[in-house]
Every structure is written in C-alpha cells, then in structure tokens.
Amino acid sequence: MTGAYANTEITADDVLACANYAVDNREPKGTVKLVRIISAEKQVVAGMNYKLKLAITENGTAKTVSVVVWSKLDGTKEVTQWE
C-alpha cells in the first residue's frame, strides 16, 4: 500500500545508521547506548521514515523505545518521535 510502513531488515545499513543517529543525538549526549534493533519499518515520504523499536540503556537502565527517524532527501536526518 502506498504511503504505508513496510517491514525491513534490521541488519540493513540504512536501518543501523538511523538507529545510531537516534541514539547518538539523544540529549543529554552520552547517556543512551544502543543494545540492539528489535524491529524496523520504513515508509516513503519526502525521503524515508524509519520506525524503529530499539533496546537501549539509558543511564545504565535497560529500556525499549520506539523512534521515528526521518531521512530527508538532502541526506540529513531528524528524530521526529521518541517514546
């Protein structure tokens, strides 16, 4: 379906790059570490949205978060959701 999210490989380079981007840019810097990518979906927009479920540690505490990273047409990225 056009515009819908579709599952994608959690080991794909673009998925890993978006997961690392989300974790690396979480404030305050250095408090979040990526443990693993649990699931990944992508959606074609003006660029690509990546909806990721991540296992992380935040200040040493294990958590699962859902994030959306918008990979824009100009090559930049932006975290649009972190829950």
Side-chain angles (χ1 to χ4, degrees), residues 11-76:
T11 57
D13 289 343
D14 56 340
V15 171
L16 182 58
C18 287
N20 284 326
Y21 176 84
V23 167
D24 291 346
N25 287 281
R26 185 70 176 164
E27 295 291 338
K29 301 268 187 193
T31 60
V32 178
K33 304 280 187 225
L34 178 63
V35 175
R36 69 183 179 95
I37 301 168
I38 298 168
S39 65
E41 298 174 276
K42 59 185 179 180
Q43 173 190 41
V44 176
V45 291
M48 189 75 68
N49 275 334
Y50 291 84
K51 186 188 294 185
L52 310 172
K53 184 177 279 189
L54 306 176
I56 64 165
T57 59
E58 187 169 21
N59 294 317
T61 302
K63 294 183 177 184
T64 300
V65 295
S66 296
V67 301
V68 176
V69 177
W70 176 25
S71 182
K72 302 176 188 181
L73 292 173
D74 66 3
T76 62

